[in-house]
Amino acid sequence: MLAPDPLALIAELTYACPLHCPYCSNPTDLPGAARKRELDTAEWKQVMGQAAALGVLQVGLTGGEPLVRRDLEQIVAAAHRNGLYTNLITGATMLTATRLSRLRTAGLDHVQISLQDSEPLSANRIAAADAHNQKLRAARAVHSSGIALTINVVIHRYNIDRIESIADLAAELGAQRLELAHTQYYGWAAKNQSHLMPTRDQVMIADAAVERARRKHQGRVKIIYVLSDLYEELPKPCMGGWGLTAMVIAPDGRVMPCHAADSLPGMAFANIRTRRLADIWRNSKAFERFRGEKWMREPCRTCPLQRRQIDFGGCRCQAYRLTGDPAATDPVCRLSPLHEKAAAAPPGTGYLAYRQITR
């Protein structure tokens, strides 16, 4: 199908990060030399220009931890010059007042800070670092600066019972938005699924807690709640549909339809170092592979619920992880013959596997 103009670019500037979160979706098998292959400042500046020319409206600057990059201000400035709305997605442990001031001067529009929990001991345990108080200081500094602030909390078994206190904390910090998103099970999170998956009873209680929090903070904090796919009966449109609204550029320059696409077998992703972004978006085999509807099998092809253009068959990476076939209907769908594959994992034993890649 003819590719529409993309709306969003997710720029993974680095996989390095000072935290060790066990729900991280970054790859688990990165060699130590991975940082040496990262796009440099000039290459990222070229990316911003090509993205704007292609029709991209906003860029998420993420990682790993994007603040590891000493040239982050230059990258933000390049995006700003090209008219892109910039969102820094950060753990915030490295977000000092001086750095924030420089980023604001460079044109940064928005900061999304990831918290692990509202309770400090739990938050620091999940991050495997004494990070919670620094995150709170950074959030308050962002609010005081006038830059838009979102708080993001990845939900899992160890914090799902504190939804309301998390919402109270976001309001206290001055956040305009709170994103409560259940763990996506890729990378390190996939290794820890049996530990991180909440029980169905926890999820039901959390649903009610979210509604109470929304009523309490209505008009102050917009609360976005993303339920775990594995407790749903209909899949979500992954990234707005494969190759339809967004793209991800990995630290080494590979351009992908989503951040976990390199987990799929037999996929080759073009690199921004050797091919223009517009050509990759419109013509590369990887983006065309699951774009639109022609690739779909039953039951998607003749879906009685008419969801082909709503969820686009669901998540390709999830379909592969649960069934071994990236072209299968996402098993989350109740119409999938493999729907039982989406059942929650049993409680884990032993220890969580913590992300080890730092700087």
Side-chain angles (χ1 to χ4, degrees):
M1 66 172 289
L2 182 66
D5 290 344
L7 300 177
L9 165 64
I10 299 169
E12 294 184 327
L13 303 182
T14 180
Y15 285 137
C17 181
L19 303 182
H20 309 275
C21 305
Y23 56 73
C24 182
S25 59
N26 283 168
T28 61
D29 56 353
L30 289 174
R35 280 203 70 195
K36 297 180 180 179
R37 299 195 298 271
E38 289 178 359
L39 297 180
D40 62 25
T41 311
E43 289 170 322
W44 276 116
K45 287 180 178 180
Q46 291 176 5
V47 165
M48 298 308 161
Q50 291 184 37
L54 182 55
V56 169
L57 300 178
Q58 62 181 11
V59 57
L61 302 164
T62 183
E65 174 50 69
L67 287 162
V68 169
R69 298 276 307 222
R70 295 180 180 178
D71 59 354
L72 179 59
E73 291 84 349
Q74 296 179 62
I75 296 171
V76 169
H80 181 70
R81 282 195 303 272
N82 282 282
L84 299 173
Y85 184 90
T86 51
N87 180 21
L88 175 63
I89 302 166
T90 175
T93 58
M94 303 175 69
L95 188 58
T96 63
T98 299
R99 197 83 193 272
L100 180 62
S101 177
R102 294 204 303 259
L103 288 165
R104 184 183 181 190
T105 299
L108 183 65
D109 295 298
H110 188 279
V111 177
Q112 176 178 306
I113 293 179
S114 173
L115 300 182
Q116 279 68 34
D117 204 334
S118 57
E119 202 282 316
L121 290 177
S122 172
N124 290 335
R125 174 176 177 267
I126 290 297
D130 186 8
H132 185 68
N133 287 336
Q134 171 56 31
K135 288 169 174 280
L136 300 188
R137 287 192 292 270
R140 293 186 176 105
V142 172
H143 175 61
S144 297
S145 76
I147 298 175
L149 173 65
T150 290
I151 296 297
N152 173 269
V153 181
V154 176
I155 300 299
H156 45 75
R157 181 177 298 164
Y158 300 106
N159 64 11
I160 192 172
D161 300 324
R162 284 183 288 278
I163 293 288
E164 290 176 273
S165 63
I166 289 170
D168 290 345
L169 177 58
E172 176 193 330
L173 293 172
Q176 290 91 3
R177 287 166 52 95
L178 169 63
E179 295 183 0
L180 302 168
H182 278 254
T183 303
Q184 293 181 302
Y185 293 101
Y186 306 107
W188 290 96
K191 293 175 70 72
N192 290 309
Q193 180 178 340
S194 62
H195 296 274
L196 296 174
M197 278 288 292
T199 66
R200 188 170 293 276
D201 285 345
Q202 281 183 303
V203 171
M204 294 178 64
I205 293 170
D207 289 349
V210 168
E211 292 308 311
R212 289 193 297 272
R214 282 175 170 159
R215 290 193 296 270
K216 180 177 181 179
H217 299 290
Q218 186 174 10
R220 296 177 59 206
V221 183
K222 183 176 182 180
I223 299 178
I224 311 299
Y225 182 54
V226 183
L227 185 62
S228 172
D229 282 350
L230 303 184
Y231 282 124
E232 296 270 33
E233 291 200 345
L234 293 172
K236 301 180 184 69
C238 181
M239 299 289 289
W242 180 280
L244 294 179
T245 64
M247 69 182 82
V248 175
I249 300 184
D252 63 1
R254 288 171 300 138
V255 186
M256 302 181 291
C258 76
H259 66 278
D262 60 354
S263 67
L264 301 180
M267 300 287 287
F269 299 101
N271 197 294
I272 194 66
R273 285 180 166 131
T274 58
R275 197 167 167 184
R276 301 268 315 167
L277 191 60
D279 183 42
I280 296 172
W281 173 260
R282 294 179 179 135
N283 303 313
S284 68
K285 291 182 179 179
F287 276 83
E288 292 178 344
R289 176 66 182 87
F290 298 114
R291 180 180 272 153
E293 304 176 37
K294 289 184 179 180
W295 63 272
M296 292 181 179
R297 304 173 184 166
E298 297 294 356
C300 291
R301 186 175 291 276
T302 58
C303 177
L305 303 179
Q306 297 296 309
R307 290 183 58 87
R308 290 190 304 279
Q309 295 183 354
I310 297 174
D311 59 39
F312 304 99
C315 177
R316 298 301 88 221
C317 302
Q318 186 161 262
Y320 172 67
R321 190 172 73 84
L322 296 177
T323 73
D325 181 1
T329 298
D330 189 335
V332 166
C333 181
R334 65 173 183 261
L335 300 179
S336 166
L338 300 174
H339 182 55
E340 73 280 358
K341 296 282 187 179
T349 58
Y351 299 94
L352 285 164
Y354 284 91
R355 184 184 193 275
Q356 296 302 313
I357 299 166
T358 54
R359 299 188 187 182

